[in-house]
Amino acid sequence: MGIDLALIWFIIIVFSILMYVVMDGFDLGIGLLYPMMRKTADRDVMMNTVAPVWDGNETWLVMGGAALFGAFPLAYSVILDALAIPLMVMLIGLIFRGVAFEFRFKATPAHRPFWDKAFIAGSFVATFAQGVVLGAFLNGFPVDGRRWSGDVFDWFTPFSLFCGVGLLVAYALLGCSWLIIKTEGELLIAMRKLARPLLLALLVILAIVSGWTPLTHVAIAERWFTLPNLFFFLPVPILVLLVSWGLWRCAWDPNAHYAPFILTLVLVFLGFSGLGISIWPNLIPPAINFRDAAAPPQSLGFMLVGALFIIPLILVYTFWSYYVFRGKIKPEHGYH
């Protein structure tokens, strides 16, 4: 039996997307939490917690997009055609946020509020657009042969927009739990107070999405509630409740600094696994699986050689950067 190159590349893309959601999610979440912190000193600390690593986090977005283009060109063309507007909006939001990161530290006190607003707006727009993309992906894409045959506004549905709201809450919780690790004093207390309401909001959103999805997507309902898929899906809601209970308890534990963030990551992973169960093995829902969308084996094998070199390099760089900038951030610390 030969190596299943299509499956390997499917796993690489899923891994890249998960890494991006986890790692860029918390620094987008910090931008979402900015309006709740009015003091300039608090905002400085919040931004300094991610300033050394935020641009490296987005490496995984580039990795996932490039892998999709090379390994699954059919999926790349369909998804970019169908989701051109929300993807463009997402990129604009990421650009605004990236510019605000750098310019805010260089701006005069009179101009700094403008860059604060740009940072907030960029984080909000990018996160909401990513949630809309997620919802539209679950809704599926009409394909005629090997070409997308839908309307340019097919992504604009109540379900997709609600997924956008849901991702705002998820990223805000990621940012909140990250700040529990990195901050101290009044800012730490504020984040601990905020963690529980955000958790409750996220659980409500997950419950609504979990009910909405099978009711409006017959294929997903069949996949959830038929054997053996039911055995894979059933542990997910149980684990969500257990992890949420642990997060609820440790949010106010003065000795728990890393646990809230780790448990939030587990919640994100469980949501991601639920998505995977819902669409597997389709890369273009509802009908085209990843093998049908794959590039020729020669192309997959050629690219895999490069991926086996670059992915460990990115992982080592990521680990080292987080290790170097570990620990609590104090007001007198500065990245720039």
Side-chain angles (χ1 to χ4, degrees):
M1 180 180 294
I3 299 175
D4 193 341
L5 293 173
L7 178 60
I8 292 173
W9 273 105
F10 184 83
I11 294 171
I12 289 174
I13 291 173
V14 169
F15 175 74
S16 299
I17 295 173
L18 180 59
M19 288 294 289
Y20 171 76
V21 168
V22 166
M23 305 191 74
D24 206 38
F26 68 78
D27 60 55
L28 283 167
I30 288 174
L32 301 176
L33 296 174
Y34 241 49
M36 301 178 188
M37 299 291 111
R38 311 301 296 182
K39 294 181 180 179
T40 300
D42 288 339
R43 291 184 170 187
D44 288 345
V45 171
M46 291 168 70
M47 188 169 280
N48 280 329
T49 65
V50 293
V53 296
W54 72 271
D55 46 355
N57 293 342
E58 294 184 348
T59 303
W60 296 104
L61 180 63
V62 177
M63 178 71 190
L68 185 66
F69 172 76
F72 302 99
L74 174 60
Y76 183 87
S77 64
V78 168
I79 292 171
L80 256 69
D81 282 346
L83 303 177
I85 293 176
L87 287 173
M88 184 60 68
V89 170
M90 179 194 75
L91 291 175
I92 292 172
L94 291 175
I95 291 169
F96 263 86
R97 187 197 54 153
V99 172
F101 251 116
E102 302 300 329
F103 276 57
R104 181 182 181 275
F105 286 101
K106 306 296 183 182
T108 63
H111 292 149
R112 184 167 291 184
F114 171 81
W115 294 113
D116 282 346
K117 292 181 176 65
F119 182 58
I120 294 167
S123 300
F124 179 89
V125 169
T127 302
F128 185 75
Q130 288 177 20
V132 169
V133 168
L134 173 62
F137 190 80
L138 279 171
N139 281 333
F141 308 101
V143 178
D144 182 11
R146 296 182 66 84
R147 299 184 63 182
W148 172 65
S149 59
D151 183 78
V152 70
F153 287 106
D154 281 349
W155 56 269
F156 193 79
T157 66
F159 180 76
S160 297
L161 297 177
F162 186 78
C163 287
V165 174
L167 199 63
L168 288 170
V169 176
Y171 280 5
L173 182 57
L174 272 171
C176 180
S177 56
W178 170 257
L179 290 173
I180 290 176
I181 295 176
K182 303 294 290 184
T183 62
E184 55 188 13
E186 293 182 0
L187 184 54
L188 172 61
I189 294 173
M191 291 302 109
R192 289 194 184 277
K193 289 180 179 179
L194 194 57
R196 286 183 172 181
L198 287 173
L199 174 61
L200 290 176
L202 181 59
L203 290 177
V204 170
I205 288 170
L206 288 175
I208 294 173
V209 171
S210 298
W212 196 340
T213 301
L215 289 176
T216 55
H217 302 82
V218 176
I220 292 178
E222 292 175 353
R223 189 171 291 113
W224 281 12
F225 302 117
T226 56
L227 298 177
N229 293 344
L230 182 61
F231 295 122
F232 294 106
F233 183 75
L234 190 59
V236 173
I238 297 174
L239 289 173
V240 166
L241 292 176
L242 291 175
V243 172
S244 299
W245 173 244
L247 180 54
W248 179 273
R249 293 188 62 185
C250 71
W252 263 109
D253 185 349
N255 298 316
H257 294 277
Y258 288 89
F261 185 67
I262 293 172
L263 291 174
T264 304
L265 292 183
V266 175
L267 275 181
V268 171
F269 174 78
L270 289 172
F272 203 78
S273 64
L275 169 64
I277 295 170
S278 299
I279 66 172
W280 173 263
N282 296 322
L283 190 57
I284 308 176
I288 299 180
N289 64 51
F290 66 90
R291 289 190 175 88
D292 293 334
Q298 296 87 345
S299 299
L300 298 178
F302 177 77
M303 291 189 303
L304 186 59
V305 175
L308 293 177
F309 170 76
I310 195 66
I311 292 177
L313 191 64
I314 296 173
L315 288 172
V316 170
Y317 160 79
T318 300
F319 170 79
W320 182 249
S321 62
Y322 279 86
Y323 176 77
V324 169
F325 293 101
R326 67 193 183 278
K328 297 283 187 179
I329 300 295
K330 299 180 183 296
E332 61 269 18
H333 290 168
Y335 168 60
H336 288 72

